[in-house]
Amino acid sequence: NSSNQNAGSNSNGNGTEAEGGNQAAGTDSVKIGYVINTLNNPFFVSVKDSAEKEAEEVGTKLSVVNANNDIATQLSGVEDLIQQGIDVLILDPVDSAGALPAIQAANDAGVKVITTGRMVEGAEIVTHLGYNEVKHGKEAGWFLAEALGGSGKIVELQGVMGTSTAQERSQGFQEAMADYPDIEILSSQSANFDRAEGLTVMENLLQAHSEIDGVYAANDEMALGALQAIEAANRNGIVIVGNDGTIDAFHAIQEGRIAGTMAIYPNQYGEKAIQIALQVANGENVKELIELPSIFVSEENVEEALSMQE
Amino acid sequence: MTTSAAASPANRASKYLQFIQTYGMLLILLLVVAIFSLLSSNFLTTGNLINILRQVSIVGIIAVGQTLVILTAGIDLSVGSIVGLSGAVSASVTLGTGNPLIGIAAGLLTGAVIGLFNGVMVSYFKLTPFIVTLATMTAVSGITLVYTNGNPIIVSDPVYKFIGQGYIGPIPFPVVLLVVVYVLFFFILRKTVHGHYIYSIGGNEKASVLAGIPVKKHKMIVYTVSGLLAGLAAVILSARLSAATPVAGTGYELDAIAAVILGGTSLFGGKGGVGGTLIGVLLLGVLTTGMNLINVSPFYQDVVKGAIVLVAVLLDRFINADTQ
Amino acid sequence: MTTSAAASPANRASKYLQFIQTYGMLLILLLVVAIFSLLSSNFLTTGNLINILRQVSIVGIIAVGQTLVILTAGIDLSVGSIVGLSGAVSASVTLGTGNPLIGIAAGLLTGAVIGLFNGVMVSYFKLTPFIVTLATMTAVSGITLVYTNGNPIIVSDPVYKFIGQGYIGPIPFPVVLLVVVYVLFFFILRKTVHGHYIYSIGGNEKASVLAGIPVKKHKMIVYTVSGLLAGLAAVILSARLSAATPVAGTGYELDAIAAVILGGTSLFGGKGGVGGTLIGVLLLGVLTTGMNLINVSPFYQDVVKGAIVLVAVLLDRFINADTQ
Amino acid sequence: MSEAELLRMDDICKSFGPNVILKDVHFTLLSGQVHALLGANGAGKSTLMKIISGVYTLDSGSVTVQGKQVSIQSPADAKRHGISIIHQELSLVPEMTVAENIYLGKEASANAAGMFFSKGRLEACTEKLLGKYGIPLDPRARVRDLSIGHQQLVEIMKAVSDESNILIMDEPTATLTTGETEQLFTVIRSLKDKGIGMVYISHRLDEIQEICDYVSILKDGRNTAEGPIRDFSSEKIIEHMIGKQLEHYYPSSDRVPGQPVLELSKVTKGHVLNQVSLQLRSGEVLGLFGLLGAGQTELLKVVFGAEEYDEGEIRIQNQAVRLDSPAKAKAHGIALVTENRKEEGLVLEQGTASNIALASMRRLSRWGIKKDGRIRSVANHYVEALNIKLSSIREPVKNLSGGNQQKAILGKWLYTEPNIVLLSEPTRGIDIGARSEIYHLLSDLADQGRAVMVASSDADEILGMCDRILVMFNGNVIAELKREEANEELLMEYASGAREKKEVKQ
Ligand SMILES: Nc1ncnc2c1ncn2[C@@H]1O[C@H](COP(=O)(O)OP(=O)(O)OP(=O)(O)O)[C@@H](O)[C@H]1O
Ligand SMILES: Nc1ncnc2c1ncn2[C@@H]1O[C@H](COP(=O)(O)OP(=O)(O)OP(=O)(O)O)[C@@H](O)[C@H]1O
Ligand SMILES: O[C@@H]1[C@@H](O)[C@H](O)OC[C@H]1O
Ligand SMILES: [Mg+2]
Ligand SMILES: [Mg+2]
């Protein structure tokens, strides 16, 4: 059912020009390479699935390579795709740094490059489908603060230390908290974007602090892990906020077990990346910067969000 | 007999040394516990100690299998990936059949079958354990992704969840399982012929073959058990999370191996046991929890952890200076 | 003498066996290359072969140091973390001083110092290599985070970038370095006293001590070299990427160890060499690139990779069946 | 007991790669027979025995056990056919106790319940077994802590406790003293009475004469002679083994020793060495005689810096020295030929050339780079001089026969051109021809003015080759004897503590 036509209609501020233009002549001869930063979490798995689905629908060749969260693997993947003879490269960078040589290599080989997710400074690209992780951290932080009425004790679960996603989301979150002097961050700990670690770190934090009002988690996997810990400890009433907008998180929001998540619709993300790649391949004009739909999902809009995530 | 007379005190001394050797690390564990207790009043509480035990139960159980494998001078790198696949299988079969027991059995079986495969490759095809289990690890993580399509599987069956979240009296069920597994394998290593052969194979495989011991069979069993225990750990983990995630277990093999070696089992086989492993597991668990509790910045946690492990083994070395 | 007469053919035969033993894996590598060439017309092109060499240069260089360590019956788990820290140091010092040579020296030195530390702990304090280097690995990753504050460091100095992105004629500079390192250490292992001692220490440490060899010193050197080479790999990596990221290098130790063991070096020391390691490195590199080229879905890549590695070692075992 | 045929091997061939090791060998063992299998180092004795005990498989030929043709593929198969072997090389689990080693693989025979394991019951069984044969071992002692001789006793008892019909002993006495050897003979005689057939391999011909009924001799992997022992004098055996007669088995010596080069005063180490004082002069061969565990090995290791000592002083050329590592001792011109070749002597995976070069790399290199040509020629020199039988100087020494391995170790140390040569059981496992060559070699060293100190538990060899003899008992040097005044009885009396301390000259 998910026709690609609705991509722009219900998301905030996207600027795709070429709705319907993806059936243009020559789709089947276009080869797209997609280097995706990781498949280690459901979010990016959805991105990949939706991209593959879209490619199949429009009948174009798509090769997906997993960079495995490693910039060297990312570069190798790009090089391998160039050897394969792709026309357009979609690069979902592992990090805001370290992608430049990969993009250059593609340009040198005459491959057009689109980046998604993180912006790569100084790169020669056709367009960027982006979002802003600092902003995400901030928005999620604001929501949490407001949900607590502007005061309370909270903990932060960070992602893999040293990755730009973790850094930027944490930065945004901290900036948001700066606006709320009555909110005390009891502890910031890393749970490596992992559900099982979210569980154990939260168990420890629950041991350490008899009063916790809120949890900010840099992704939904950690938020869901923390949720298990909190429920098992019967520490009811702790407000949990995550990032990503995975199906599991939406269900938990529906059930009222977590408060909200900063959602970047992964299925639209993959789908749109393919559509734009095709436009680029066909020499159509695209905007230099296309902002990906991202929206904070809470109890209020979770049904709508779920219906979009099919 | 001139020697028997002299032997007894020597024997006693060697037992004493062995005690210190195994329990030198215990002293260090107690020291670390004492330090954390001073630094955080929440550390030395029943609640937190139970918390720690529950947290270490998963890697702790895996580490038992790893101990057996390492005692035979092998290694099993596939256990982490087994946690991923076994968890997915047991969760999905539970959902599919509606019967948690069938699901759990399927999860355990998955682990045992992968372990058996490793064991056959190592024993009968004489392949290097490191490469075999590394290859299995890679393949099994791939299979997990294919099987789950990369998505987590939610399980809410109460019986299933009990494995990870239930209690027997005040004791969490995973802790009960942990204790049962350690007691059982302590017994197996000490009191059964199989356990005896594990030591002899690791101590001198050639001599064991020459003694007519069915070395291949026993090695195969050991890898199978390691897989089975990883399957059990998978069930506990997914039950604890009410979900099986495809990345579950990543890196657990290294934690388990570290615990085994910290606990005094030699990578060259033949020396050590599950008692030491438990201490190693606890030491690593206490470190993680302790640092969360005293709120060490995540940037510094690894520095502190690495340093403490190093100091621990250095201290242990000085305690054991003469026994080498 | 009866022996000299018999010696020649036997000698030749044993050389032949040794050739097959080392190069059995080479045959398998060639087989894999042939298969990929059939499956993708883009595979067997000069461009792609150079591409593969450049890609494997980083882990390839690390694997040389790892080979030396493993030959002494040790292991070095810290190399991956050294890549992170050395890269950060060399990038930041390059930025700070404006002098890429000083930066590169600082990066290499960082690696060597960490390696030296490992070496001292293993040789002089007699700690288990596995635990020491695991602890260093943990601590060093932490230090990298603290040092970089978790942020990447961009370097755009052209001299610096040349190390990773430059060419000598048609050959990428990292490939030149790779070749130099392999040739150098092939020579060191075969033709120098230090190399001779590496084998004797790994083959029988006790006998080496009793032969009056300064075993501790040589072990220490080996770990230092391993750290130094990881530092070199770090410089190449950061130069290739024009950036050093704090998580760079994570997991490279396992890739390097896998290559070493695939290449026929025994984890128990004393047997093997860098020739085999190069083959192991290439096999793993060819697999990754080949699968990308023939467009194997990422979920299936691990399954295929694990399976091929397993088949490779099985084939190798059959080729070598008599030599065991 | 009737002389039933227990074992029969016909037309046995075995090659390793292109090397033909055994060619059409036949061998027959009767019930109650002690059958000597003789031959020079590398003749193929161990290989033949490994074929019947399931370690190697034969290329062609047939094996018949008690009239039935059998195929033996593994040690377990061999045991099932009632064949046990005491291997030439120790195959014990060092971390385990004496009892655990003796009953390894047959725990069930000592335990009631098959699956469970009771250390206590094993120990009781071991106690009984050891008591029966009067072997002085503690069932609970860890094998790692035993001297190599005691380890050998464990190995023997391990095979004896199998209660097999066929028992193969591959150089069981190489590490035993005369006393222990006598004990073993008692064991052998009692097994013989039970009709057990035994294959006995040894390089000590006097033992052969004493205990064996029948002799088979191999040379270069072929049968050369066999028959009842009464038809074989030692001279005849030697001739069949090495193809010629041996003259001047021991060297004659009329040296005049020079100045002391090594002096120990009151060196003490735990319970192992007690106030040991001695002098070693240039131009002499000094013998160190003692029973198992008397401390000779420890003494040599202390002098070589391989083990620490608690008190006392060591002087070299009148200079007090602190030898805290073998490297330092080597720098002082000391060499130590260790007794345990596999553990302490050889890098098994490496070739003979590499092993011989190992202790002299400094001389065999320049700027840290090996002189490969020089290494080869040195190795070839010692292969020739010591008559080491091998197929290539690069072939891993693990493939050499036991005696040839021992020679490779000797070569390694001879090439260091030491001034002070310490040797611990240097002829262990070496055939009679080569043994004599080694005696002459050591004598030549002394003639050149070097100082040689040999620890041995073989009284005959001590008496035959040494200018002066020190006897050790319980960590003490209790007697010093001149060659002329010494004889075997006297040595044994001192060594067993039956005779009180004799004044030791300082
Ligand atoms: N595994 C092997 N590979 C290659 N050659 C071998 C192997 N085992 C033995 N040999 C060779 O076979 C020959 C016979 O060896 P064997 O051990 O049977 O001699 P032996 O008669 O027992 O000598 P010793 O008296 O020294 O023990 C030797 O030349 C030896 O080098
Ligand atoms: N590492 C050790 N731990 C405990 N006891 C030891 C150790 N090494 C040696 N011993 C004991 O020290 C004593 C002296 O041993 P040593 O090897 O010097 O005897 P030896 O006289 O050379 O005997 P042999 O004739 O068997 O070579 C023995 O009783 C031995 O068991
Ligand atoms: O959204 C996150 C992604 O950006 C990061 O790279 O990996 C973890 C995810 O949850
Ligand atoms: Mg022999
Ligand atoms: Mg001795």
Side-chain angles (χ1 to χ4, degrees):
Chain A
N1 62 25
S2 92
S3 120
N4 42 35
Q5 307 294 333
N6 64 2
S9 52
N10 46 10
S11 46
N12 53 347
N14 89 62
T16 320
E17 289 158 18
E19 277 153 28
N22 48 17
Q23 296 293 353
T27 5
D28 53 346
S29 63
V30 175
K31 262 184 161 175
I32 301 174
Y34 197 153
V35 176
I36 195 159
N37 81 48
T38 179
L39 288 173
N40 259 359
N41 68 67
F43 177 84
F44 283 104
V45 172
S46 297
V47 173
K48 171 188 152 274
D49 286 351
S50 61
E52 281 173 343
K53 198 166 141 214
E54 177 67 11
E56 204 182 300
E57 258 168 38
V58 302
T60 190
K61 279 193 198 125
L62 171 67
S63 306
V64 181
V65 170
N66 179 6
N68 241 323
N69 258 321
D70 177 51
I71 42 178
T73 308
Q74 166 180 286
L75 174 56
S76 300
V78 170
E79 287 166 346
D80 293 345
L81 289 174
I82 293 171
Q83 296 291 337
Q84 230 196 77
I86 53 164
D87 303 301
V88 185
L89 170 70
I90 306 169
L91 177 63
D92 188 68
V94 170
D95 201 293
S96 42
L100 216 47
I103 294 171
Q104 260 157 19
N107 286 331
D108 292 348
V111 174
K112 294 177 183 149
V113 183
I114 300 170
T115 53
T116 62
R118 275 164 220 114
M119 186 83 94
V120 179
E121 288 305 321
E124 195 183 314
I125 55 166
V126 183
T127 185
H128 175 73
L129 277 83
Y131 46 67
N132 181 335
E133 297 288 20
V134 178
K135 191 178 117 199
H136 290 162
K138 217 181 254 179
E139 282 186 23
W142 282 331
F143 179 89
L144 177 60
E146 291 303 324
L148 295 176
S151 76
K153 294 182 172 169
I154 61 172
V155 296
E156 179 194 11
L157 298 181
Q158 302 192 34
V160 176
M161 303 301 296
T163 61
S164 50
T165 312
Q167 291 283 107
E168 291 160 15
R169 286 184 188 166
S170 180
Q171 185 193 333
F173 169 71
Q174 298 282 349
E175 282 172 14
M177 290 306 107
D179 300 340
Y180 296 89
D182 292 340
I183 288 188
E184 185 191 349
I185 303 178
L186 294 169
S187 183
S188 288
Q189 295 287 330
S190 169
N192 289 320
F193 284 136
D194 181 73
R195 198 184 289 206
E197 281 193 60
L199 169 73
T200 52
V201 172
M202 195 63 216
E203 283 173 342
N204 293 337
L205 294 175
L206 290 170
Q207 291 295 330
H209 308 283
S210 49
E211 193 199 330
I212 296 177
D213 305 309
V215 176
Y216 166 77
N219 80 351
D220 287 340
E221 286 293 290
M222 293 189 292
L224 291 165
L227 173 66
Q228 286 299 325
I230 289 165
E231 289 182 345
N234 285 320
R235 297 273 286 260
N236 302 320
I238 297 182
V239 180
I240 306 171
V241 167
N243 272 279
D244 281 356
T246 62
I247 300 273
D248 283 0
F250 288 162
H251 288 305
I253 292 170
Q254 249 181 341
E255 293 157 9
R257 295 158 76 205
I258 72 175
T261 179
M262 187 63 230
I264 323 158
Y265 296 95
N267 58 340
Q268 296 186 21
Y269 178 168
E271 186 180 285
K272 183 165 284 174
I274 297 297
Q275 290 165 4
I276 291 173
L278 280 177
Q279 292 167 11
V280 168
N282 292 335
E284 292 169 34
N285 274 334
V286 290
K287 276 215 243 166
E288 262 175 39
L289 183 72
I290 302 165
E291 196 173 340
L292 276 170
S294 69
I295 184 168
F296 195 87
V297 173
S298 64
E299 209 179 359
E300 282 165 27
N301 55 350
V302 67
E303 301 300 336
E304 186 190 354
L306 260 174
S307 70
M308 281 173 56
Q309 271 290 47
E310 309 270 71
Chain B
M1 291 182 43
T2 55
T3 40
S4 326
S8 299
N11 195 16
R12 230 175 293 135
S14 114
K15 268 194 184 153
Y16 171 74
L17 278 179
Q18 217 182 316
F19 179 88
I20 287 277
Q21 191 155 22
T22 313
Y23 299 101
M25 206 41 102
L26 179 59
L27 298 180
I28 292 161
L29 170 64
L30 295 179
L31 188 72
V32 172
V33 167
I35 292 173
F36 278 124
S37 307
L38 286 179
L39 293 175
S40 159
S41 58
N42 300 314
F43 189 85
L44 206 63
T45 62
T46 324
N48 190 43
L49 295 183
I50 286 183
N51 173 42
I52 293 176
L53 284 175
R54 186 171 45 198
Q55 290 191 357
V56 301
S57 61
I58 291 154
V59 168
I61 286 173
I62 295 173
V64 168
Q66 194 72 253
T67 307
L68 306 186
V69 172
I70 292 181
L71 279 175
T72 67
I75 198 154
D76 187 353
L77 299 175
S78 71
V79 284
S81 68
I82 292 177
V83 169
L85 185 58
S86 281
V89 169
S90 70
S92 68
V93 172
T94 299
L95 289 187
T97 63
N99 186 331
L101 299 181
I102 298 181
I104 293 166
L108 298 180
L109 190 68
T110 304
V113 167
I114 299 169
L116 177 66
F117 177 83
N118 289 331
V120 169
M121 288 294 141
V122 168
S123 316
Y124 292 94
F125 292 91
K126 294 186 191 151
L127 301 184
T128 322
F130 191 95
I131 282 291
V132 169
T133 58
L134 182 67
T136 324
M137 161 177 140
T138 311
V140 169
S141 340
I143 292 170
T144 308
L145 285 175
V146 173
Y147 182 76
T148 61
N149 196 23
N151 291 312
I153 301 165
I154 310 282
V155 259
S156 47
D157 182 281
V159 174
Y160 195 93
K161 276 164 64 177
F162 180 83
I163 308 283
Q165 303 179 25
Y167 281 82
I168 303 251
I171 312 291
F173 195 62
V175 177
V176 173
L177 289 173
L178 180 77
V179 171
V180 168
V181 167
Y182 273 87
V183 169
L184 181 65
F185 282 91
F186 190 84
F187 173 81
I188 288 178
L189 281 178
R190 294 263 175 132
K191 295 290 171 200
T192 69
V193 172
H194 176 60
H196 187 63
Y197 288 166
I198 287 176
Y199 283 100
S200 84
I201 292 169
N204 190 344
E205 180 162 342
K206 214 164 160 186
S208 305
V209 173
L210 292 176
I213 294 171
V215 166
K216 291 178 183 172
K217 184 181 96 185
H218 287 278
K219 276 168 83 171
M220 194 187 68
I221 293 175
V222 158
Y223 284 87
T224 308
V225 167
S226 176
L228 177 70
L229 289 176
L232 176 59
V235 172
I236 299 175
L237 178 61
S238 54
R240 245 161 84 63
L241 286 168
S242 308
T245 63
V247 291
T250 314
Y252 286 8
E253 61 282 350
L254 208 61
D255 294 342
I257 298 169
V260 172
I261 297 177
L262 265 180
T265 297
S266 157
L267 265 182
F268 295 95
K271 268 196 288 194
V274 292
T277 298
L278 184 58
I279 294 168
V281 165
L282 288 173
L283 184 60
L284 294 175
V286 161
L287 276 183
T288 311
T289 300
M291 286 196 296
N292 282 338
L293 251 62
I294 64 172
N295 204 10
V296 175
S297 138
F299 279 106
Y300 283 94
Q301 288 205 358
D302 278 351
V303 184
V304 175
K305 189 171 172 183
I308 293 184
V309 169
L310 210 57
V311 170
V313 285
L314 271 172
L315 275 179
D316 188 48
R317 161 68 45 204
F318 289 118
I319 292 177
N320 292 324
D322 340 304
T323 63
Q324 281 316 86
Chain C
M1 283 190 58
T2 55
T3 42
S4 347
S8 301
N11 195 14
R12 230 175 294 135
S14 112
K15 266 190 185 159
Y16 169 76
L17 277 180
Q18 216 181 317
F19 179 88
I20 288 277
Q21 190 153 24
T22 312
Y23 299 101
M25 205 42 100
L26 179 59
L27 298 181
I28 292 160
L29 171 62
L30 294 178
L31 188 72
V32 172
V33 167
I35 292 173
F36 279 125
S37 306
L38 287 179
L39 293 175
S40 158
S41 59
N42 302 314
F43 189 84
L44 206 63
T45 63
T46 325
N48 190 46
L49 295 183
I50 288 185
N51 173 38
I52 292 177
L53 284 175
R54 187 173 44 200
Q55 289 182 5
V56 301
S57 61
I58 291 154
V59 168
I61 287 174
I62 295 174
V64 168
Q66 193 72 254
T67 307
L68 306 186
V69 171
I70 292 181
L71 279 174
T72 67
I75 198 154
D76 187 352
L77 299 175
S78 70
V79 284
S81 68
I82 291 177
V83 169
L85 184 59
S86 280
V89 168
S90 72
S92 68
V93 172
T94 299
L95 290 186
T97 62
N99 186 332
L101 299 181
I102 298 181
I104 292 166
L108 299 180
L109 190 69
T110 304
V113 167
I114 298 168
L116 179 66
F117 177 82
N118 288 332
V120 169
M121 287 295 141
V122 169
S123 316
Y124 292 93
F125 292 91
K126 295 186 189 152
L127 301 184
T128 321
F130 190 95
I131 281 291
V132 168
T133 59
L134 181 68
T136 322
M137 162 178 140
T138 311
V140 169
S141 342
I143 292 170
T144 308
L145 283 176
V146 173
Y147 181 76
T148 60
N149 199 18
N151 294 316
I153 302 165
I154 313 276
V155 261
S156 47
D157 182 283
V159 174
Y160 194 91
K161 274 164 64 177
F162 181 83
I163 308 282
Q165 303 179 25
Y167 282 83
I168 304 251
I171 312 290
F173 196 62
V175 177
V176 173
L177 289 174
L178 180 76
V179 171
V180 168
V181 168
Y182 272 87
V183 170
L184 181 66
F185 281 91
F186 190 82
F187 176 81
I188 288 179
L189 282 178
R190 292 262 176 131
K191 296 288 173 200
T192 70
V193 175
H194 177 60
H196 196 91
Y197 289 167
I198 287 176
Y199 284 101
S200 82
I201 292 168
N204 189 341
E205 181 161 341
K206 207 164 169 188
S208 303
V209 171
L210 287 172
I213 294 171
V215 167
K216 289 178 184 173
K217 185 180 96 185
H218 286 277
K219 275 167 83 171
M220 194 185 69
I221 292 175
V222 158
Y223 284 88
T224 309
V225 167
S226 177
L228 177 69
L229 289 177
L232 177 59
V235 171
I236 299 175
L237 179 63
S238 54
R240 275 199 83 194
L241 298 165
S242 307
T245 62
V247 289
T250 313
Y252 286 10
E253 60 283 350
L254 208 60
D255 293 341
I257 298 169
V260 172
I261 297 176
L262 262 181
T265 295
S266 156
L267 265 182
F268 295 95
K271 268 196 293 192
V274 291
T277 298
L278 184 59
I279 294 167
V281 165
L282 288 173
L283 184 61
L284 295 176
V286 160
L287 275 184
T288 310
T289 298
M291 285 194 296
N292 282 341
L293 250 61
I294 64 171
N295 205 7
V296 177
S297 134
F299 281 177
Y300 282 93
Q301 287 209 359
D302 278 350
V303 184
V304 176
K305 190 171 171 183
I308 294 184
V309 168
L310 210 57
V311 171
V313 286
L314 271 172
L315 274 179
D316 189 48
R317 160 71 42 205
F318 288 117
I319 293 176
N320 293 324
D322 341 304
T323 64
Q324 282 316 88
Chain D
M1 278 282 151
S2 73
E3 297 222 325
E5 196 175 273
L6 285 177
L7 170 75
R8 186 189 173 87
M9 302 177 85
D10 287 304
D11 306 319
I12 303 291
C13 294
K14 175 74 187 172
S15 303
F16 289 109
N19 301 337
V20 178
I21 306 298
L22 297 173
K23 179 86 181 129
D24 298 330
V25 173
H26 63 85
F27 185 86
T28 307
L29 178 68
L30 305 180
S31 153
Q33 183 184 56
V34 183
H35 189 148
L37 178 60
L38 303 176
N41 293 132
K45 307 178 293 294
S46 297
T47 304
L48 186 66
M49 292 303 112
K50 282 180 181 169
I51 287 173
I52 356 175
S53 58
V55 179
Y56 294 155
T57 47
L58 40 71
D59 296 343
S60 63
S62 69
V63 177
T64 310
V65 176
Q66 288 178 319
K68 259 191 273 169
Q69 187 159 336
V70 296
S71 149
I72 297 171
Q73 299 291 331
S74 70
D77 279 355
K79 295 221 154 137
R80 268 193 293 280
H81 288 110
I83 302 168
S84 289
I85 180 167
I86 299 164
H87 283 283
Q88 183 173 7
E89 305 298 343
L90 290 170
S91 50
L92 300 171
V93 185
E95 292 300 322
M96 289 189 162
T97 63
V98 169
E100 290 171 312
N101 270 287
I102 290 179
Y103 281 96
L104 190 63
K106 42 183 190 275
E107 292 76 9
S109 69
N111 284 295
M115 222 182 90
F116 296 104
F117 170 76
S118 154
K119 220 168 167 168
R121 239 169 295 163
L122 284 193
E123 284 162 1
C125 286
T126 308
E127 195 104 46
K128 221 164 82 194
L129 179 77
L130 296 175
K132 179 167 158 197
Y133 295 110
I135 307 292
L137 286 172
D138 174 10
R140 280 163 293 269
R142 216 168 26 159
V143 160
R144 191 177 78 166
D145 298 333
L146 298 182
S147 73
I148 189 163
H150 278 155
Q151 293 184 5
Q152 182 64 27
L153 288 177
V154 175
E155 194 73 61
I156 292 169
M157 292 325 288
K158 189 170 134 188
V160 167
S161 67
D162 280 353
E163 302 185 347
S164 299
N165 292 321
I166 299 168
L167 178 56
I168 302 161
M169 296 179 254
D170 195 348
E171 302 195 28
T173 55
T175 56
L176 299 186
T177 52
T178 333
E180 260 82 29
T181 301
E182 277 310 323
Q183 264 171 328
L184 174 63
F185 287 176
T186 315
V187 175
I188 291 175
R189 286 189 191 102
S190 97
L191 296 177
K192 187 177 156 80
D193 290 344
K194 291 191 201 152
I196 290 167
M198 285 163 275
V199 182
Y200 189 89
I201 301 177
S202 175
H203 291 293
R204 297 183 171 167
L205 299 186
D206 49 339
E207 291 176 358
I208 303 296
Q209 299 289 352
E210 184 179 345
I211 196 74
C212 298
D213 315 315
Y214 197 88
V215 186
S216 284
I217 302 174
L218 292 182
K219 182 162 184 289
D220 295 330
R222 289 172 172 80
N223 295 88
T224 55
E226 69 178 288
I229 187 73
R230 57 179 176 274
D231 299 346
F232 283 85
S233 64
S234 288
E235 288 70 30
K236 190 170 167 193
I237 290 174
I238 292 170
E239 198 164 346
H240 282 293
M241 268 171 61
I242 61 177
K244 61 171 187 201
Q245 275 302 324
L246 260 189
E247 281 157 29
H248 309 295
Y249 181 63
Y250 287 117
S252 58
S253 132
D254 41 14
R255 295 179 284 268
V256 184
Q259 292 303 306
V261 288
L262 172 73
E263 290 164 277
L264 270 63
S265 66
K266 302 194 170 154
V267 170
T268 297
K269 172 184 171 63
H271 305 293
V272 192
L273 296 178
N274 181 24
Q275 306 242 343
V276 172
S277 299
L278 63 83
Q279 290 188 338
L280 174 65
R281 303 195 197 97
S282 65
E284 76 167 340
V285 179
L286 174 63
L288 208 51
F289 181 76
L291 298 184
L292 269 173
Q296 316 96 287
T297 306
E298 297 280 331
L299 179 60
L300 296 188
K301 283 197 171 165
V302 161
V303 173
F304 193 57
E307 292 200 1
E308 291 167 7
Y309 53 100
D310 307 328
E311 300 166 18
E313 192 185 54
I314 299 181
R315 297 156 69 82
I316 292 177
Q317 320 271 22
N318 270 322
Q319 296 271 311
V321 289
R322 182 86 213 168
L323 298 172
D324 49 16
S325 73
K328 215 168 194 183
K330 209 171 74 177
H332 279 98
I334 308 179
L336 170 64
V337 177
T338 47
E339 61 184 308
N340 188 341
R341 52 182 171 253
K342 283 207 164 158
E343 274 192 17
E344 306 180 323
L346 294 168
V347 184
L348 290 168
E349 293 294 338
Q350 297 284 308
T352 303
S354 162
N355 274 284
I356 288 180
L358 191 60
S360 312
M361 287 309 287
R362 202 167 290 174
R363 280 161 70 203
L364 292 169
S365 64
R366 168 184 270 176
W367 315 117
I369 294 171
K370 295 193 279 183
K371 298 176 183 164
D372 281 336
R374 185 96 192 91
I375 290 174
R376 270 195 302 276
S377 65
V378 166
N380 283 322
H381 169 79
Y382 283 101
V383 166
E384 193 142 349
L386 300 172
N387 196 13
I388 304 179
K389 189 178 176 205
L390 39 65
S391 58
S392 152
I393 54 172
R394 298 183 53 175
E395 180 186 20
V397 291
K398 70 173 177 190
N399 290 347
L400 299 194
S401 78
N404 285 304
Q405 291 180 345
Q406 185 69 19
K407 293 181 191 173
I409 299 175
L410 265 177
K412 169 171 77 178
W413 287 111
L414 291 178
Y415 185 62
T416 64
E417 299 191 344
N419 283 320
I420 300 171
V421 192
L422 314 174
L423 305 100
S424 189
E425 312 286 355
T427 59
R428 186 171 276 178
I430 288 195
D431 71 45
I432 190 125
R435 193 183 280 240
S436 169
E437 287 164 31
I438 288 170
Y439 298 146
H440 284 91
L441 208 136
L442 295 179
S443 175
D444 292 348
L445 288 177
D447 288 344
Q448 292 161 26
R450 299 175 205 274
V452 179
M453 179 154 74
V454 193
S456 171
S457 39
D458 181 341
D460 193 52
E461 119 181 334
I462 288 276
L463 291 168
M465 69 181 293
C466 299
D467 302 318
R468 195 159 58 94
I469 300 161
L470 301 178
V471 185
M472 290 191 73
F473 174 69
N474 261 347
N476 293 288
V477 172
I478 61 157
E480 174 179 339
L481 304 164
K482 292 233 176 60
R483 185 179 195 161
E484 311 79 69
E485 55 179 322
N487 59 52
E488 187 156 350
E489 288 70 45
L490 200 57
L491 288 188
M492 286 310 297
E493 277 176 25
Y494 280 119
S496 58
R499 202 183 251 263
E500 281 301 294
K501 190 171 176 108
K502 176 181 178 230
E503 187 50 34
V504 178
K505 270 184 279 170
Q506 291 301 312

